[in-house]
Amino acid sequence: MDRSSDSERARGGISSHQPEWGRVLHGRADQEIRIPEVAATAQVGLSLAGRSAAQLRPPIVSFVLVNWNYGRYIGATIDSILAQDYPHFECVILDNGSTDDSRVVIDRHVRGDRRFRVIHLPENLGQLGATLVALGEVKGGFVTFVDSDDLLFPDFASTHLQVHLSAPRSVAVTTSGVAEVDGAGVVLTSQYATIQLDRHGVAKGLRDASTVIRLSTISDEQFRTLHALTAVVPRWTKGWLWAPGTGNMIRRSVLEMVAFNDRNATYMRSADGHFLPLCHAFAGTALIDVPLSAYRIHGENYFVNRESLLGIPNGTPEYAAKSRRESYESVASILENARQNAWLLRESFWRVVDISTRVHSDDLKAYYGAPSGVEIFERHAATLREAVGDRAFIQNICARFGFRDARRIIAKGFGGRAPARLQLKIFRLCRNRKRMKALLH
Amino acid sequence: MAAPLVSFVVINYNYEDYLAEAIDSVLAQDYPNIECVVIDNASTDGSREVLARYEGVDARLSIRRFDRNLNQMGALLRILDDLRGRYLTIVDADDFIFPNYASQHVLAHEMAPRGLAFTSSCVVEVDGAGCVLTAGYDPFLSNVVQARLWDGEANAVEGVGATDRALLLEAIRLVDRDDPKWRWSPGTANMHDLSLVRATRPIGHAEAYVGATDNYFMWLNHAIAGSAQILTPLSAYRHHGRNRYGAMPSVAGLTIGTRSGVNRSAVRRRDITLALASRARAFQQLAPGRFWKLMDAPAAADGQPVELYFANPLVQKILIEHRAELLSLGAAEVERELAERMGRKAARRIARA
């Protein structure tokens, strides 16, 4: 990003001045967003209760950058990763079969930095497909998927990590605000996609500063500001909570729990759409109402899925149909690992299955009853039955399907044919609407 | 007052990669009065070579090499009477503690209004390479007692500065002994009252007792004397893929530990019932009037109704076997208390067998 021009600075509000955090954080309609210019440091220190915690090694952040023909923008994206004030990161760049000059641009900007690894895929596996490949390559405890046309502000990693390490409980995801910039990196509006802290049931604030691990890049004052602008959302909150594209940091251990078993398939869909709702349902999200990355509006955005081949405008019936088709894959990913998930989630297992559909509870039966819904449950019926036990299996299938489908799925669970004694039971359960409805979330 | 002696017991089995860091972290304590016993449980890796480097380097350090693996509890029991400390921390050889661990824990013990069974500090979970993953174990973080239960000035303890005292006053919470929930960090993060551990130790098991010390002592001793939480992280818990209990950093809401690890722990908790039933009079004397609260401790640990625990035939078998000792508490009382937990019929069967 070129910050040399004064006129641009004045117009856009991206300033190379010292960070004015307080003002940035409270920046709303009339205030400019300033991006702190910080010299990259060799080391970030950790401390605990005012003492150096040199015996602990800083967390590793894994940036995963999936690129498809964004040679025009990816250079600036890479520069913004190199400019992080938190040096303990690795970055895997997956070039998803690009046909433009991406390869040259990537090499020029990475400049041989050993924290970067570039993988060129021979063909486009889709954003989620490429992300799954990348997931097998990273080792950090925390992962950020970076869109190759977005920019990170220098304190992105520091701030997200500080929240991960000081939220009242350890959560799966941290999400921060996003500033909108145009193709040249100039802020279009000082409004940014806001992170709504005032939600029902959120727990505001961080743990006491003297009892958490502190990063040397986050000052006392900044910690206090973060404390005021952070909230943890309970796992059951439905709806979209997260920053678009870049702007999230996810625990790798939780990502691994919800990743598909087949990591080498093509998944022409967004990684966010799969990972964020599921990781949240597993272990919650912390909201950070501070803009820490920038989202480019450049007239060529590929909407949510970011794949030009499948670029169907958001809001159209085609888009809705595509989202729905994709959501069955997410549900299937929970079911295929039912044994692990039923153990991890215990009594919340079925609730997470319902949340993974991303449809309203009134629409759940129609959703499950569609051919794709019946098919994935039939396919995983045996695994499911073994994971949750006969009683819970039968009840929860009857709660989600009509009699005919329930009978078929349960039969599959019992190896092809349900015991005769169950036929009447299934029939009765399916008819007991009130009781069955109580099992839906 | 003089600084009381703290006994650290580092128990190692095939953790050559981490053992030195564990020992070094004990010897680097800023607290003046410690002893450190390192036990090698007949490791088959390079642990012996690691330990050879520590021979004779520090007067506070002694090394014990066992010719077979006695497991964690077995190893502790073997050396328990040789320890000289007032407090005890059992350090897993794959964990490490921070320099102010002992000073903060001792201070917490000394400033408490009455003797505590143990103090439990927050832990940092790290990966195999030592990189931070979480700044707390979820069952600890999600169960922090909100109210500070005492406000008094901390007693001065030799070697502990005013800053540490002030920090601790802010960061300590008292957990009432009638509160049966797990609100602690695992293993290494806990400093026990050593005399209480001696008094309640399991007796009569195989020498190579398979089982974790925290899963026994923490439930039982907390029910006797209560405990405290220290909100500042004072040690690290390592996830390296070979952990016996769980291999993932703890996060909000997800089950901790593997299925087999959790089941194993539940089975071993019956040893608490065995100890209580077979030494009923001793426990009655140790914690007057609390015997039946102690009996409920392993049931509460499973998070299940006490009735379910006592309905287990294996639990009832223990009670029948030690019927005579139990009845020394008074036949009428025993039958009444058992009836509350397993129904009249079963209680009568045990009390009048």
Side-chain angles (χ1 to χ4, degrees):
Chain A
M1 178 171 27
D2 181 14
R3 292 194 187 121
S4 57
S5 155
D6 278 339
S7 59
E8 228 178 55
R9 201 182 291 154
R11 223 179 88 219
I14 290 184
S15 152
S16 61
H17 295 146
Q18 275 302 296
E20 294 278 346
W21 251 58
R23 259 184 274 163
V24 174
L25 302 179
H26 301 109
R28 288 290 191 274
D30 306 321
Q31 283 176 301
E32 61 182 22
I33 292 171
R34 289 160 181 262
I35 299 177
E37 179 82 42
V38 184
T41 43
Q43 285 263 289
V44 164
L46 302 181
S47 65
L48 261 168
R51 290 163 173 252
S52 154
Q55 65 276 27
L56 293 171
R57 295 177 63 185
I60 306 284
V61 175
S62 300
F63 291 111
V64 170
L65 224 169
V66 174
N67 175 61
W68 187 79
N69 287 347
Y70 265 154
R72 306 180 284 307
Y73 305 118
I74 193 171
T77 308
I78 293 169
D79 291 348
S80 78
I81 293 173
L82 278 166
Q84 289 296 297
D85 67 10
Y86 189 83
H88 310 284
F89 65 80
E90 60 173 356
C91 179
V92 172
I93 301 177
L94 266 150
D95 189 27
N96 215 350
S98 290
T99 51
D100 68 349
D101 61 346
S102 289
R103 188 184 280 252
V104 182
V105 175
I106 291 168
D107 288 345
R108 193 167 68 229
H109 285 265
V110 167
R111 285 173 288 182
D113 189 306
R114 294 177 62 176
R115 294 170 296 184
F116 286 76
R117 244 175 317 149
V118 187
I119 298 169
H120 296 282
L121 296 175
E123 57 183 314
N124 189 350
L125 293 182
Q127 197 202 22
L128 177 57
T131 302
L132 289 169
V133 171
L135 208 50
E137 299 288 325
V138 300
K139 63 176 196 309
F142 301 89
V143 178
T144 286
F145 301 128
V146 184
D147 282 346
S148 49
D149 54 341
D150 286 354
L151 303 167
L152 300 180
F153 297 170
D155 45 7
F156 179 92
S158 286
T159 310
H160 275 268
L161 280 176
Q162 186 65 77
V163 172
H164 264 295
L165 297 182
S166 38
R169 293 174 75 176
S170 301
V171 293
V173 187
T174 50
T175 188
S176 56
V178 175
E180 291 182 349
V181 297
D182 68 13
V186 175
V187 170
L188 289 176
T189 160
S190 52
Q191 287 285 13
Y192 49 88
T194 50
I195 296 293
Q196 289 174 21
L197 295 184
D198 291 312
R199 288 171 180 273
H200 178 70
V202 301
K204 285 195 179 174
L206 301 172
R207 284 149 66 191
D208 192 277
S210 68
T211 63
V212 297
I213 296 178
R214 295 280 307 276
L215 305 182
S216 58
T217 39
I218 303 289
S219 70
D220 287 348
E221 192 195 333
Q222 287 166 349
F223 189 91
R224 278 193 292 277
T225 312
L226 271 181
H227 174 69
L229 294 173
T230 304
V232 172
V233 189
R235 295 160 65 201
W236 315 131
T237 308
K238 287 188 178 175
W240 193 262
L241 302 166
W242 307 278
T246 312
N248 306 294
M249 189 180 279
I250 313 177
R251 265 182 200 285
R252 188 163 64 88
S253 57
V254 183
L255 273 175
E256 291 284 351
M257 288 172 199
V258 302
F260 294 88
N261 291 351
D262 184 357
R263 300 280 177 90
N264 295 307
T266 302
Y267 296 93
M268 285 290 173
R269 55 182 291 208
S270 77
D272 292 353
H274 173 70
F275 282 122
L276 291 170
L278 287 193
C279 288
H280 172 69
F282 270 60
T285 298
L287 311 173
I288 310 170
D289 188 19
V290 178
L292 294 172
S293 62
Y295 175 78
R296 280 181 201 264
I297 306 292
H298 48 62
E300 298 170 284
N301 300 80
Y302 299 137
F303 303 97
V304 174
N305 67 345
R306 303 291 178 97
E307 296 290 345
S308 69
L309 294 172
L310 295 162
I312 307 162
N314 199 343
T316 62
E318 292 91 332
Y319 179 82
K322 181 179 184 304
S323 297
R324 185 169 264 233
R325 271 199 312 279
E326 291 169 350
S327 69
Y328 286 111
E329 291 176 2
S330 294
V331 178
S333 77
I334 301 290
L335 300 183
E336 71 180 1
N337 291 319
R339 204 176 137 75
Q340 167 210 280
N341 292 333
W343 171 252
L344 284 171
L345 298 163
R346 302 246 182 141
E347 61 277 11
S348 61
F349 174 77
W350 289 101
R351 192 196 275 258
V352 170
V353 171
D354 289 343
I355 287 175
S356 69
T357 66
R358 299 182 51 202
V359 303
H360 190 272
S361 36
D362 291 342
D363 303 329
L364 276 172
K365 281 200 88 158
Y367 177 92
Y368 287 125
S372 311
V374 176
E375 190 274 320
I376 55 172
F377 275 82
E378 275 192 299
R379 187 158 23 115
H380 299 292
T383 315
L384 205 50
R385 179 188 155 213
E386 193 216 337
V388 301
D390 290 0
R391 197 181 130 89
F393 172 65
I394 293 165
Q395 284 197 345
N396 280 286
I397 294 300
C398 291
R400 283 164 184 78
F401 294 90
F403 172 64
R404 280 165 183 282
D405 291 333
R407 195 174 54 179
R408 273 174 60 197
I409 293 165
I410 291 168
K412 287 268 185 196
F414 281 85
R417 197 176 155 71
R421 66 185 159 80
L422 288 183
Q423 303 287 344
L424 187 61
K425 184 175 175 150
I426 295 168
F427 182 71
R428 283 196 179 138
L429 280 172
C430 287
R431 290 215 2 203
N432 191 344
R433 289 202 184 138
K434 204 169 151 195
R435 186 166 156 218
M436 290 299 100
K437 199 163 179 212
L439 292 173
L440 287 175
H441 303 282
Chain B
M1 59 167 294
L5 180 70
V6 176
S7 297
F8 286 98
V9 178
V10 181
I11 301 176
N12 174 64
Y13 178 69
N14 285 352
Y15 279 138
E16 60 171 330
D17 293 339
Y18 311 120
L19 176 60
E21 196 172 350
I23 298 172
D24 292 344
S25 75
V26 172
L27 297 179
Q29 289 298 298
D30 61 15
Y31 182 79
N33 198 12
I34 65 162
E35 64 171 351
C36 177
V37 179
V38 180
I39 297 174
D40 186 55
N41 246 332
S43 293
T44 53
D45 66 351
S47 295
R48 276 176 182 262
E49 286 76 55
V50 174
L51 287 179
R53 298 206 306 266
Y54 286 92
E55 214 59 77
V57 300
D58 193 310
R60 300 170 299 172
L61 181 67
S62 59
I63 298 171
R64 304 278 296 265
R65 295 183 178 84
F66 293 169
D67 51 15
R68 67 187 184 112
N69 186 357
L70 298 186
N71 299 305
Q72 195 204 23
M73 178 69 98
L76 174 76
L77 295 178
R78 166 81 78 88
I79 57 125
L80 192 55
D81 288 324
D82 303 337
L83 299 173
R84 296 175 294 115
R86 174 147 165 203
Y87 300 113
L88 164 69
T89 286
I90 303 150
V91 180
D92 290 322
D94 53 342
D95 293 343
F96 56 93
I97 61 177
F98 304 161
N100 54 340
Y101 177 98
S103 52
Q104 293 275 297
H105 274 273
V106 168
L107 194 56
H109 272 282
E110 298 287 328
M111 69 190 269
R114 62 157 193 265
L116 296 172
F118 57 86
T119 49
S120 186
S121 52
C122 192
V123 292
V124 178
E125 293 174 284
V126 302
D127 64 17
C131 297
V132 173
L133 291 173
T134 78
Y137 182 64
D138 191 64
F140 183 103
L141 289 184
S142 56
N143 292 300
V144 166
V145 175
Q146 288 309 317
R148 274 174 54 187
L149 287 187
W150 76 90
D151 292 313
E153 266 297 303
N155 295 323
V157 176
E158 188 189 310
V160 179
T163 320
D164 284 346
R165 273 213 309 280
L167 269 177
L168 192 65
L169 269 174
E170 288 303 316
I172 190 159
R173 304 282 189 271
L174 197 64
V175 188
D176 191 90
R177 58 187 179 168
D178 284 333
D179 174 349
K181 204 166 180 166
W182 182 282
R183 296 174 185 274
W184 313 296
S185 299
T188 307
N190 303 289
M191 186 182 281
H192 297 265
D193 180 301
L194 182 50
S195 61
L196 191 57
V197 168
R198 283 206 183 97
T200 63
R201 74 180 100 178
I203 294 173
H205 296 272
E207 195 184 25
Y209 184 116
V210 182
T213 53
D214 54 2
N215 184 47
Y216 178 90
F217 287 117
M218 291 177 67
W219 296 113
L220 177 57
N221 292 6
H222 169 74
I224 293 172
S227 58
Q229 301 171 313
I230 301 172
L231 306 189
T232 319
L234 295 173
S235 62
Y237 181 87
R238 205 189 300 260
H239 293 279
H240 44 64
R242 288 197 291 138
N243 304 67
R244 205 168 147 70
Y245 190 74
M248 267 181 313
S250 64
V251 289
L254 295 186
T255 306
I256 292 174
T258 59
R259 206 185 289 253
S260 59
V262 169
N263 291 340
R264 218 166 32 223
S265 297
V267 169
R268 290 264 59 131
R269 278 196 289 273
R270 293 205 285 271
D271 293 342
I272 297 175
T273 306
L274 173 62
L276 289 165
S278 62
R279 290 136 67 190
R281 281 167 298 177
F283 277 99
Q284 179 74 290
Q285 216 170 13
L286 190 65
R290 292 191 61 76
F291 185 80
W292 297 99
K293 297 242 189 223
L294 306 188
M295 287 290 272
D296 290 340
D302 290 333
Q304 57 176 323
V306 276
E307 296 80 20
L308 215 60
Y309 180 81
F310 284 98
N312 185 333
L314 292 168
V315 172
Q316 298 197 357
K317 185 164 167 265
I318 293 171
L319 300 180
I320 291 168
E321 271 170 21
H322 298 279
R323 179 178 163 272
E325 173 68 17
L326 264 181
L327 288 179
S328 65
L329 299 178
E333 179 194 320
V334 170
E335 193 173 330
R336 190 182 65 241
E337 294 286 348
L338 286 181
E340 275 178 28
R341 289 164 178 81
M342 55 180 69
R344 279 177 144 170
K345 213 172 128 195
R348 196 177 305 139
R349 195 163 57 86
I350 291 169
R352 303 185 190 173

